[in-house]
Amino acid sequence: MTALMSTHRYARLLSALMVTAALTASAAAQTRVTAPQNRYSVAQDVQLGQEASAEVRKELPMLNDDRVDDYVEQVGRRLVGAIPPEFRHPEFRYTFDVVNQKEINAFALPGGPMYLNRGMIEASKNEAEMAGVMAHEISHVALRHGTAQATKGEKFQIGAIAGQVLGAIIGGAAGSIISQGSQFGLGAYFLKYGREYETQADILGSQIMARAGYDPRQMANMFKTIEAQGGRGGPEWLSSHPNPGNRYNTINREAQMLQVNGSAGNPAEFQAVKARLGGMSPALTQQQIAQGQGRNRPVGTNGRAAVRVEPPSSQYRSYSPAEFLRVAVPANWSQVSGGQGGVTYAPQGGFFRDNQGETAFTHGVQFGVTQGGSGSLQRDTEALVQSFARSNPQLRRAGNYQRTSIGGAQGLTTSLRNVSEVTGQAEYVNLSTVYLQDGNVLFMIGVAPQDEADIYANAFARVRQNLQLSR
């Protein structure tokens, strides 16, 4: 394990904090889209996508920055929630990752894995433009264009083509090597689309954007931006997504028939993410990646053994991660993880993800829910500590349990000690627990370096005191 306190495991316990957005359809006059004929099964789409995705993560340099990844994931989830019911496949596993590559490109694999180049985010003028590209890629997946395109040709064995798909992604000589020089064109069946499928993805993507609360005209604007890039990267995306003709006008025409459902987008967060990217070392070029540079190398603030982290702000900001929970954390902390139901608040530089996707935080708090049932909060809390210790052998309780008021109910608080496998330094851990109405246990775990314990102990106490539970 390379994760401080293995905090990525806490999130898996928290089903009660899962937050979903239900987005409804709008506009009856939209263009009807029909998925093409496909002789592959939905399960084969999933298999192909997962196998190809495993190869992608080995060969392409992931950005591995949680602030950026979580932001893109949030936009992606909003768009996935807006897929029309007839094109939803429960088996699909939509995921969203950022590649530390300069060229303007994005691709989505059958079954749901999507990869967005850093260059695409940096070229976008606003969140809606970025969302337009993502909605277009999601449409290719939802309409199963990859395997539909393969249906037109020879019947391929899904399990044998992951390398060829990766070769098509990377392209050039490097792609030929990855695909081992054989059947290189095979990958194109799953990632390089014809004009008919491009038009379908433009139209369905526009509809998904409107349902999700984005102006579809921003998709047209983004494609115009890509085309204008020319030698700076435009052809990278256009090579696999050719303009079907009058793309800009087609999208704008469709937009006129659609009603935008609400107003999505967070301009401040988008600009903060772009500023964060701008403060990192330059993204790698396709040529550098082909030469093997940056493979499995973390970038950004994550992955460093030592990062300067600002102390907790004296100003506090409120969040409602679930209907039953409201929290207030220092204003310079952000929600950096909500996947699998867990929710973490940490300052910039205080959250970490390694190249295997394992996550941890060195500063901040995390909330989770674990099963109760013993009838004793102390016994349930001790069981929770023991579960943490199974993956953190140096974790030790450093104090007795103290009765504490948490959200208007009587809870427990105790201190723990650990050695961070991120920094190798001693760390201070503060754990508070309280029963929920359903008998499960809400826990709040705060983490900070031992030499900053006094500062963070005060912050953790204030977060605990401000916590509100609906009862």
Side-chain angles (χ1 to χ4, degrees):
M1 285 292 171
T2 58
L4 166 74
M5 282 292 300
S6 292
T7 50
H8 56 283
R9 298 196 176 207
Y10 302 162
R12 297 174 190 166
L13 302 172
L14 180 54
S15 60
L17 290 182
M18 297 191 76
V19 181
T20 57
L23 302 174
T24 58
S26 62
Q30 63 189 32
T31 302
R32 182 177 176 82
V33 178
T34 303
Q37 180 182 1
N38 196 318
R39 62 180 177 181
Y40 289 85
S41 69
V42 170
Q44 286 177 307
D45 277 55
V46 174
Q47 179 187 348
L48 169 61
Q50 292 301 309
E51 291 180 357
S53 182
E55 294 298 317
V56 167
R57 298 187 70 85
K58 289 179 185 176
E59 299 295 335
L60 297 184
M62 297 297 105
L63 188 70
N64 290 325
D65 183 276
D66 281 279
R67 174 95 182 262
V68 178
D69 286 341
D70 287 347
Y71 172 69
V72 172
E73 179 87 12
Q74 180 182 357
V75 174
R77 289 295 163 201
R78 188 179 188 99
L79 294 169
V80 168
I83 297 173
E86 63 269 29
F87 301 125
R88 294 184 183 179
H89 304 286
E91 303 91 336
F92 282 6
R93 309 168 194 172
Y94 287 94
T95 56
F96 305 89
D97 290 280
V98 180
V99 181
N100 188 39
Q101 184 169 343
K102 178 181 179 180
E103 283 78 17
I104 301 174
N105 199 12
F107 62 90
L109 299 168
M114 181 188 297
Y115 294 89
L116 194 70
N117 277 12
R118 174 178 163 184
M120 182 69 80
I121 302 174
E122 293 177 322
S124 302
K125 296 184 178 69
N126 51 56
E127 181 178 303
E129 285 197 352
M130 181 187 78
V133 174
M134 296 173 70
H136 179 98
E137 297 296 341
I138 287 171
S139 297
H140 281 307
V141 175
L143 293 167
R144 303 182 60 211
H145 279 162
T147 47
Q149 193 156 260
T151 295
K152 298 177 181 179
E154 180 184 351
K155 180 70 172 178
F156 300 114
Q157 293 296 317
I158 293 292
I161 61 180
Q164 284 75 28
V165 170
L166 181 63
I169 293 168
I170 295 180
S176 298
I177 293 171
I178 290 171
S179 63
Q180 299 179 344
S182 63
Q183 298 182 312
F184 174 66
L186 178 58
Y189 276 99
F190 300 92
L191 291 164
K192 296 176 184 277
Y193 305 108
R195 293 187 173 186
E196 176 188 358
Y197 291 172
E198 282 301 294
T199 297
Q200 282 196 331
D202 287 346
I203 292 173
L204 181 59
S206 298
Q207 295 170 5
I208 288 173
M209 286 188 73
R211 289 165 61 93
Y214 293 104
D215 185 347
R217 292 174 297 181
Q218 295 294 344
M219 178 196 288
N221 292 339
M222 185 61 192
F223 291 160
K224 182 171 282 190
T225 296
I226 293 172
E227 291 179 347
Q229 293 295 315
R232 289 198 293 145
E236 176 70 15
W237 189 82
L238 293 173
S239 64
S240 56
H241 299 78
N243 189 333
N246 297 316
R247 165 175 266 160
Y248 182 84
N249 293 334
T250 298
I251 295 172
N252 279 303
R253 204 163 38 241
E254 186 69 21
Q256 292 176 359
M257 296 187 286
L258 300 173
Q259 177 182 341
V260 177
N261 185 24
S263 178
N266 187 332
E269 182 68 8
F270 176 76
Q271 292 303 325
V273 165
K274 289 194 71 170
R276 187 174 179 86
L277 292 173
M280 297 179 184
S281 56
L284 301 173
T285 65
Q286 185 183 53
Q287 182 177 0
Q288 289 172 320
I289 294 171
Q291 294 169 348
Q293 296 184 38
R295 188 174 300 170
N296 295 323
R297 176 177 62 87
V299 298
T301 57
N302 296 331
R304 298 178 185 174
V307 177
R308 183 176 181 273
V309 177
E310 294 290 338
S313 170
S314 60
Q315 303 296 315
Y316 275 61
R317 180 185 304 161
S318 295
Y319 294 87
S320 295
E323 290 183 359
F324 68 87
L325 178 65
R326 185 172 182 82
V327 300
V329 301
N332 60 340
W333 294 7
S334 300
Q335 182 174 319
V336 292
S337 179
Q340 303 294 327
V343 60
T344 303
Y345 300 94
Q348 183 171 335
F351 197 80
F352 173 88
R353 175 179 291 169
D354 67 17
N355 289 317
Q356 285 71 49
E358 302 290 357
T359 61
F361 62 103
T362 57
H363 303 68
V365 295
Q366 185 174 83
F367 296 90
V369 172
T370 187
Q371 188 172 7
S374 75
S376 164
L377 182 59
Q378 182 166 326
R379 282 199 298 270
D380 286 336
T381 303
E382 190 64 31
L384 179 64
V385 172
Q386 291 174 6
S387 72
F388 295 157
R390 282 195 287 271
S391 55
N392 298 273
Q394 299 190 71
L395 180 67
R396 299 287 185 273
R397 193 151 58 84
N400 296 323
Y401 288 106
Q402 303 293 328
R403 296 191 181 278
T404 313
S405 177
I406 302 175
Q410 189 175 84
L412 294 175
T413 295
T414 189
S415 295
L416 308 169
R417 290 176 182 167
N418 193 31
V419 175
S420 170
E421 293 187 358
V422 175
T423 65
Q425 303 298 313
E427 60 188 3
Y428 164 73
V429 182
N430 185 266
L431 175 65
S432 296
T433 57
V434 65
Y435 275 133
L436 298 172
Q437 280 187 322
D438 60 6
N440 288 325
V441 177
L442 171 73
F443 66 84
M444 181 192 105
I445 188 162
V447 177
Q450 184 63 50
D451 59 6
E452 300 177 51
D454 290 343
I455 297 173
Y456 278 84
N458 291 331
F460 298 154
R462 186 169 174 184
V463 172
R464 184 172 59 248
Q465 291 162 5
N466 290 334
L467 186 148
Q468 298 178 29
L469 293 173
S470 298
R471 293 186 174 274

